[in-house]
Amino acid sequence: MTDTELQKLVEKISLTDFHRQFKHHVFFNQRLRTTGGRYQLQTHDIDINPRMLSEHDMPTLVGIVKHELCHYHLHLTHQGYQHRDADFKHLLAQVHGSRFAPAVQISSRSKMQLVYQCQSCGLLYHRKRHINLKKYRCGKCGGPLRLIQTLRR
């Protein structure tokens, strides 16, 4: 799905479910990691996480679009647009929008685990990031460390 197709979908959902026009822009934003979408208060634009479509199905994307449109329409009509507001909760339930975005897969970079071992006492250290072996030593005995394996989960 392209940004123009997404724009048409959002305009259609806005007219059918909210009975109001969507007059701003919506686009896919690759930088969104943990959220399904984002409504921008200053520009009134909506960003959608493209993984909501690639990792999930079309009804999931529609639910997230409805969620962001609730923020959009309530903010423009000067009503409670935040998650904690009763206006937001009522409108979200009325249009059957998603309350939460489903989980997305974590990138493979964060699944890597490095295992260091002390050369003196044999103590193992599990880390997600590389450490400077010239700078750091074992916390137990002060011995030098060495990288023994890299695990990918």
Side-chain angles (χ1 to χ4, degrees):
M1 177 178 277
T2 64
D3 285 344
T4 55
E5 292 171 339
L6 180 64
Q7 181 78 31
K8 290 178 184 176
L9 175 69
V10 171
E11 290 171 358
K12 179 184 170 193
I13 292 172
S14 182
L15 280 176
T16 57
D17 291 340
F18 294 89
H19 307 292
R20 294 185 186 156
Q21 283 187 333
F22 179 74
K23 299 178 181 178
H24 293 84
H25 300 286
V26 62
F27 49 89
F28 287 114
N29 187 345
Q30 296 282 349
R31 292 174 304 208
L32 296 179
R33 297 282 180 209
T34 59
T35 184
R38 177 177 60 187
Y39 168 63
Q40 299 176 8
L41 293 173
Q42 293 81 15
T43 62
H44 308 294
D45 293 338
I46 294 176
D47 302 345
I48 299 292
N49 188 342
R51 289 196 234 170
M52 292 299 121
L53 187 59
S54 63
E55 294 181 11
H56 301 286
D57 53 358
M58 192 63 158
T60 303
L61 178 70
V62 170
I64 290 168
V65 166
K66 288 179 181 180
H67 178 101
E68 299 307 324
L69 282 174
C70 286
H71 288 298
Y72 172 81
H73 289 298
L74 289 171
H75 181 249
L76 291 180
T77 56
H78 306 290
Q79 296 178 9
Y81 61 89
Q82 295 179 344
H83 291 124
R84 65 176 180 242
D85 294 328
D87 293 332
F88 178 81
K89 291 177 182 178
H90 181 266
L91 183 60
L92 190 65
Q94 186 179 355
V95 297
H96 305 292
S98 297
R99 181 82 169 113
F100 302 103
V104 293
Q105 285 187 344
I106 301 171
S107 66
S108 61
R109 180 178 175 197
S110 63
K111 292 183 180 182
M112 185 173 73
Q113 189 174 31
L114 304 165
V115 181
Y116 294 91
Q117 185 176 25
C118 175
Q119 293 179 3
S120 299
C121 67
L123 185 65
L124 295 177
Y125 293 92
H126 298 274
R127 298 288 180 266
K128 291 183 180 179
R129 293 180 157 188
H130 288 280
I131 60 173
N132 186 352
L133 297 177
K134 294 177 183 175
K135 183 177 179 182
Y136 293 100
R137 314 236 345 144
C138 178
K140 182 178 177 185
C141 70
L145 301 176
R146 68 182 171 105
L147 178 65
I148 59 169
Q149 90 185 97
T150 302
L151 301 172
R152 294 205 183 264
R153 292 184 178 182

